[in-house]
Amino acid sequence: MRTSMNALEEALESPDPSTALAGAWEGLDLGERVADAVTWDGTGDELLALTAAQACLAARTLLPLPGSGRPHHLDASDIQPGHGGLAPYADLLDRAHRALAYLAEQDLLQLGEAAAHAATAARALAGVREL
């Protein structure tokens, strides 16, 4: 799983807008699936998990579909228990937010709303398992 997360992080840092957009789309997809998986597992705040999933979906619908690729594999065992288990995914969503905000600032695309949704998703997912 770490290898695919590294690939997403690299895509989000790419100077090529289409690569960064594809990375954001894939990162938001993964974030949504993680949030869905922890919504009902009883280990945290279900409302924040639902908020994260909805924000990921809202952001992703504003982005163009990636030209290639496939969803990153996610197994329930990939999500570690406790607050720290969600941190890599919240960080990924934060990176997606920053990539989209950067592209929006460059006037390359109208991505401000997608960036705002990604930021909401990152904050919500980060708070799911806080004590």
Side-chain angles (χ1 to χ4, degrees), residues 99-122:
L100 293 171
Y102 174 78
L103 291 172
E105 287 173 4
Q106 304 306 308
D107 291 327
L108 296 175
L109 295 169
Q110 298 297 325
L111 298 172
E113 186 177 353
H117 287 303
T120 297

Side-chain angles (χ1 to χ4, degrees), residues 11-31:
L12 290 168
E13 294 173 4
S14 173
D16 175 48
S18 63
T19 301
L21 282 172
W25 198 97
E26 296 291 345
L28 290 161
D29 176 65
L30 182 60

Side-chain angles (χ1 to χ4, degrees), residues 40-111:
W40 309 113
D41 71 1
T43 63
D45 186 322
E46 299 90 4
L47 185 57
L48 280 176
L50 283 170
T51 299
Q54 290 174 341
C56 286
L57 177 62
R60 209 174 74 234
T61 60
L62 296 170
L63 302 180
L65 289 173
S68 63
R70 51 198 298 235
H72 291 271
H73 175 75
L74 177 67
D75 189 85
S77 64
D78 292 334
I79 305 170
Q80 300 299 313
H83 174 68
L86 296 178
Y89 304 102
D91 289 344
L92 181 66
L93 292 174
D94 185 54
R95 287 175 187 256
H97 161 252
R98 286 183 278 148
L100 293 171
Y102 174 78
L103 291 172
E105 287 173 4
Q106 304 306 308
D107 291 327
L108 296 175
L109 295 169
Q110 298 297 325
L111 298 172

